[in-house]
């Protein structure tokens, strides 16, 4: 069956526009400004999104944590409303330094942490750099390749980097962007509220009234490339806090076998496989992923 044509698709009843206002601005590594948000009330959980996305994508999941916990989430460097480093330094270790800076500035002492994909690996790097940073980590398919040694400079011609460089950056309207993303994978399987949060916050309004991606395609490609250059795999044995590793049953990324391999290197870890979900699980079914986090908080 051919893919739906977003230009002719029947309009969906998308949620009303909602733009998240940063809770605070924090100086990250090198003085880079980072936009930090707090979604919900209750004890804070530090959260970091996946490559190319933004903190507001996790707000629907935060709704499912109420009233037990809130998410303190930040836009990674070169994403959302956070700054783009002038020197182009998008190494994942620098994102880990940013994470520690957010924790210090917000006065968060040993919170639980939640990370999706890139965000999961970065939280591991932060914990390894400063043991005791987190009391428990819940990580949805953290990007931790099982490499004997990191690849210096990363792998610029990997599948995800190549796709990111071809990514369409501008749309004429919110409706056009929502229809485009909602008509094809991986966003076609995303909860409508999470997709609306992405379009309303991962894009900025252009002078012509259209929308343009805040995360530039070339920066997204570079982050993907550097996913092969960090040392998270080598540092797993040094992670002392409990870690819950989560994946989707239908993922095309880090599935059960990959997570079991990570768990074998971690001092205290469990693996959870969520039925029916893919790599975008936190956006596909915010309730199910929040449920795993709530169980971890209870333990």
């Amino acid at each position: 069956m051919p893919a739906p044509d977003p230009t002719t698709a029947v309009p969906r009843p998308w949620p009303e526009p909602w733009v998240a206002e940063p809770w605070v601005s924090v100086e990250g590594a090198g003085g880079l400004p980072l936009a930090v948000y707090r979604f919900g009330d209750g004890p804070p959980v530090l959260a970091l999104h996946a490559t190319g996305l933004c903190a507001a994508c996790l707000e629907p999941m935060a709704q499912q944590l109420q009233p037990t916990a809130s998410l303190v989430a930040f836009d990674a460097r070169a994403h959302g409303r956070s700054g783009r480093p002038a020197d182009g330094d998008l190494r994942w270790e620098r994102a880990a330094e940013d994470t520690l800076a957010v924790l210090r500035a917000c006065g968060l002492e040993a919170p639980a942490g939640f990370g999706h994909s890139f965000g999961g690996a970065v939280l591991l790097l932060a914990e390894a750099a400063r043991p005791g940073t987190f009391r428990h980590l819940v990580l949805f398919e953290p990007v931790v390749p099982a490499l004997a040694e990191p690849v210096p400079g990363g792998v610029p011609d990997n599948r995800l980097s190549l796709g990111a460089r071809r990514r369409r950056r501008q749309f004429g309207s919110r409706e056009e962007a929502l229809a485009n993303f909602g008509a094809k994978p991986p966003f076609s399987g995303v909860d409508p509220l999470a997709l609306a949060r992405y379009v309303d916050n991962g894009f900025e309004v252009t002078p012509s009234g259209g929308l343009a991606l805040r995360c530039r395609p070339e920066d997204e490609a570079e982050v993907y490339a550097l996913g092969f250059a960090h040392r998270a795999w080598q540092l797993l044995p040094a992670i002392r806090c409990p870690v819950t590793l989560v994946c989707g049953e239908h993922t095309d990324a880090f599935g059960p076998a990959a997570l079991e391999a990570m768990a074998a290197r971690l001092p205290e870890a469990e693996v959870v496989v969520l039925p029916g979900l893919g790599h975008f699980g936190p956006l596909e079914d915010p309730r199910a992923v929040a449920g795993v986090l709530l169980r971890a908080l209870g333990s």
Side-chain angles (χ1 to χ4, degrees):
M1 177 180 294
D5 180 353
T7 63
T8 61
V10 176
R12 296 173 65 178
W14 296 106
E16 290 296 313
W18 182 81
V19 177
E21 291 297 328
W23 179 45
V24 67
S25 180
V26 168
E27 282 196 5
L32 190 73
L34 302 171
V36 184
Y37 308 79
R38 185 160 187 170
F39 302 127
D41 299 308
V45 175
L46 192 282
L48 185 55
H49 59 82
T51 302
L53 300 179
C54 61
C57 293
L58 297 174
E59 190 272 342
M61 195 179 97
Q63 293 183 17
Q64 303 301 323
L65 297 174
Q66 293 293 284
T68 305
S70 63
L71 289 186
V72 173
F74 68 99
D75 292 329
R77 52 179 46 214
H79 290 69
R81 291 178 178 78
S82 289
R84 184 175 186 262
D87 60 1
D89 190 350
L90 297 175
R91 290 174 298 149
W92 295 32
E93 291 83 358
R94 289 297 257 177
E97 294 175 31
D98 292 338
T99 301
L100 297 175
V102 169
L103 289 165
R104 286 193 299 269
C106 295
L108 302 183
E109 294 291 336
F114 174 81
H116 177 201
S117 192
F118 154 83
V122 168
L123 297 196
L124 286 169
L125 290 168
E127 174 65 25
R130 195 180 76 183
T133 290
F134 296 103
R135 67 178 177 88
H136 197 131
L137 286 172
V138 177
L139 310 176
F140 196 96
E141 300 192 26
V143 178
V144 182
L147 301 173
E149 289 295 331
V151 179
V155 181
D157 59 350
N158 73 85
R159 173 178 61 88
L160 295 176
S161 290
L162 294 174
R165 293 191 190 97
R166 296 191 299 267
R167 195 172 312 289
R168 179 177 174 182
R169 190 181 182 195
Q170 296 197 28
F171 294 91
S173 67
R174 177 181 190 259
E175 291 70 25
E176 182 186 5
L178 287 167
N180 180 278
F181 286 114
K184 54 191 176 184
F187 285 101
S188 57
V190 164
D191 179 88
L193 181 60
L195 179 53
R197 295 292 189 256
Y198 169 59
V199 169
D200 290 335
N201 295 274
F203 288 75
E204 59 186 350
V205 179
T206 65
S208 64
L211 298 179
L213 273 170
R214 294 183 184 274
C215 179
R216 303 182 186 184
E218 61 269 27
D219 290 341
E220 182 182 0
E222 177 71 359
V223 174
Y224 283 133
L226 293 173
F228 297 88
H230 63 76
R231 298 188 60 81
W233 176 258
Q234 287 74 26
L235 294 170
L236 289 178
I239 305 296
R240 297 302 172 194
C241 69
V243 180
T244 301
L245 299 167
V246 193
C247 70
E249 175 190 17
H250 300 308
T251 183
D252 60 354
F254 289 81
L259 297 196
E260 291 289 355
M262 291 181 214
R265 294 176 61 81
L266 287 161
E268 185 177 350
E270 68 166 333
V271 173
V272 176
V273 180
L274 292 179
L277 300 186
H279 183 63
F280 272 38
L283 281 68
E284 294 170 350
D285 192 342
R287 180 185 295 274
V289 179
V292 177
L293 180 52
L294 287 170
R295 287 193 293 276
L297 293 175
S299 67

